[in-house]
Structures are given as structure tokens and as C-alpha cells.
Amino acid sequence: MTPAEPESCPDNELHRVRNLMTELAAEEIDPNTRIAAAVRYHLSASGKQVRARLALSCAQALSIDPDDANALAACCEFLHNASLVHDDLQDRDPSRRGQPALWTRFDRDTALLVGDLFLSLSFRALAEVRIAAESRHLMRLLHQRTSQAIAGQSLDLGQEIHDLNCYEVMVGGKSGAFLSLPLEMPLILARRDQDLATARQGANAFAIGYQIADDLADLDDRTLRGSNLVAILEKHHGRDRAIALSKVRAELAFAEAIDLANLLPSGCAALLGDYAAMMLANLHCRRAA
């Protein structure tokens, strides 16, 4: 039995975020151009919108103005989508969200430009936040997390990952940075800077657990990527032991994410904890099968 998805924000709240993203993306782009068509194509398959859900849930718990919450959610989603477009391009992955990836549907140059546009739009969305006193902090954080994600992606592409510590540094940058933003930004608006480190650590732990779970799901692939944790560990421990060690590390990471989420104020990271609990239950189900 697979655990159910955790409850999160209502669909109408996500719909407002999607509308804001569509409006901002159309501001300066001629709708008849290839770039505009590519943007519409990519955004038509919205995915699970986990980062938007986290931002909205966290902001609501901290009593952030709904319009500001929508802007933060759109910022996080634009940044995430920029990373997806560029990641597919670099890895030459042919599909994304059940349809041809942007670079295969259009071309590599168009995909590069759309990814750049999404990155720029993340800053544009942030400009919609009306609390000017916190804008410098938010802008600086957005740049920092983007830089960390680029460093993590560089490690992954360079195949320079030889042990668990390096693997976790890579995942913390590539995935953890963009998962912590939806928690950190509402905390900044709520002037809860003292809780930012805990939010970052909790999101990082969740990212590590999630990536290991994803690596375990790829075991049927005969040619595991060099950055797959099982492939890294089996060089020293053999395949069966590497799988067992990976499962244990993922379980510990999800448990840590749950504990840290519970430390944040007003239950603002409850959804992150719920996602971690769901993933932990999935691992247990897989182990029992």
C-alpha cells in the first residue's frame, strides 16, 4: 500500500500562482514568437508544484499577506523551472512531465533562452512583494541559493562525486537550495531570521532523502549515473550492501527533516514534514515488499 499524498494548499491558491506566472511571463515577450510558444508549452505541464505549495503553506502559517505569498510562490516556481529546462538540456533528457522536453520539442538554443528567461522571471516575481524593507534580504537570498544550485549542478556534471559526503554536498546545492527558499522567504517576511538555519537544514535533509530514494528507484537501469549513491557506494561495499546503506541514509535524512520541520514556528514547515513522512513510509513499504 502506497501512502497518500499529504494535504496542502487548495487548488484555487495554486491557480492564482499559475495566473501570476503566466501574466509575468507575457509582459515583455511578443506572444507570436517562438520563445513565447516555448514558455507556454513548458508551463502547460505544471508538475506537482511542490515549491509553490511549500511557500503558500509556510506563508499562510506565518500570516503573510496572500498577494505577497503568491509572489514568493511564483518566484520559487520560476527558479525551479529554470533549473529543469537547463538540467534537461545538459543531461540530454528527452522528456519532462510526461511530454517531450523543451529542447527536444523546440531546439537547444530556444531551451537555453527559456531557461534564462525563467531565471530572470524569478527576480521579476520577487519584485511583486510589497514589503520593501525586506527586499534586499530576499534578493540576496535568491542569488545565494541560485549560486549554490549552480555549484551543485557543476559537481553532478563533472562526475566528481566519490563518497557520501561529496554526494550530500552536491544534493544540498542542486536540490536543497531550491527547497529551502519556499520556507526561508516567508520567514524573512515574518522577521524570523533566527529560524532560517533550521529551515535550510530541514530542506537539505529532505532533499538528500528524496534524491537517495530517486537513486534507489533507478536500480533497474543497467547503466546507473556516476552520481547515483548506490553506484558510488557499491565500489567499496558491493551492490547489496550499497543498497542497504542507501536506504538507511535516506530514512535518517527523512527523519531529520521531520524533526527540524517541527522546530519551526507556527507549524510553518508542517507540509515539508508531511512530505518527508510520506517518503519515509514509502521506503518502509518498499523494504517490506
Side-chain angles (χ1 to χ4, degrees):
M1 180 178 178
T2 302
E5 286 276 351
E7 294 184 6
S8 60
C9 53
D11 288 342
N12 65 318
E13 294 181 19
L14 288 172
H15 186 66
R16 285 195 289 270
V17 174
R18 300 297 298 178
N19 284 344
L20 177 60
M21 292 175 69
T22 300
E23 291 170 8
L24 295 178
E27 275 185 343
E28 305 293 340
I29 302 295
D30 185 334
N32 299 313
T33 61
R34 186 174 182 81
I35 293 297
V39 167
R40 290 192 296 269
Y41 173 79
H42 181 81
L43 293 181
S44 67
S46 59
K48 294 182 179 179
Q49 303 176 84
V50 169
R51 288 145 197 85
R53 294 175 189 273
L54 287 172
L56 292 172
S57 176
C58 184
Q60 183 179 32
L62 294 171
S63 301
I64 302 300
D65 178 86
D67 289 337
D68 287 342
N70 289 343
L72 296 183
C75 169
C76 294
E77 280 296 310
F78 273 133
L79 192 58
H80 175 57
N81 278 277
S83 73
L84 295 181
V85 172
H86 285 160
D87 194 44
D88 288 345
L89 186 59
Q90 291 173 318
D91 292 344
R92 294 174 173 80
D93 286 335
S95 62
R96 169 68 62 182
R97 296 170 175 167
Q99 65 182 24
L102 190 68
W103 72 274
T104 59
R105 173 64 178 78
F106 290 84
D107 56 71
R108 296 178 64 84
D109 290 339
T110 299
L112 179 63
L113 292 172
V114 170
D116 291 347
L117 178 62
F118 284 155
L119 177 57
S120 179
L121 280 165
S122 67
F123 286 88
R124 172 65 185 87
L126 201 55
E128 293 294 299
V129 175
R130 294 175 294 182
I131 304 179
E134 309 299 335
S135 61
R136 290 182 64 186
H137 195 171
L138 292 173
M139 294 281 280
R140 189 182 305 115
L141 180 67
L142 179 56
H143 166 70
Q144 289 172 342
R145 296 296 173 255
T146 302
S147 297
Q148 289 165 356
I150 290 170
Q153 177 73 351
S154 178
L155 269 178
D156 191 12
L157 292 172
Q159 299 291 299
E160 301 167 2
I161 305 158
H162 307 296
D163 55 36
L164 178 61
N165 181 66
C166 189
Y167 173 90
E168 293 190 358
V169 170
M170 180 271 291
V171 174
K174 183 176 178 178
S175 301
F178 289 170
L179 280 166
S180 64
L181 266 180
L183 303 179
E184 292 174 294
M185 285 184 165
L187 284 166
I188 287 172
L189 290 188
R191 300 185 177 180
R192 299 283 308 195
D193 289 19
Q194 67 270 26
D195 295 305
L196 292 176
T198 301
R200 173 71 174 129
Q201 292 163 8
N204 195 64
F206 177 81
I208 289 169
Y210 187 92
Q211 186 59 58
I212 296 173
D214 194 53
D215 288 350
L216 290 166
D218 287 340
L219 291 181
D220 291 336
D221 188 344
R222 294 183 180 179
T223 57
L224 292 179
R225 293 187 62 196
S227 57
N228 184 297
L229 184 59
V230 175
I232 294 167
L233 295 179
E234 73 174 336
K235 296 174 184 177
H236 304 287
H237 302 285
R239 172 59 68 95
D240 290 345
R241 180 63 175 158
I243 292 172
L245 289 171
S246 296
K247 287 181 178 178
V248 169
R249 181 64 190 103
E251 290 169 353
L252 289 173
F254 286 132
E256 181 184 3
I258 294 169
D259 289 342
L260 290 168
N262 288 334
L263 293 177
L264 289 168
S266 305
C268 69
L271 184 58
L272 180 73
D274 290 344
Y275 277 125
M278 179 192 72
M279 296 295 299
L280 184 58
N282 281 334
L283 278 177
H284 289 161
C285 287
R286 189 180 302 161
R287 175 174 287 187

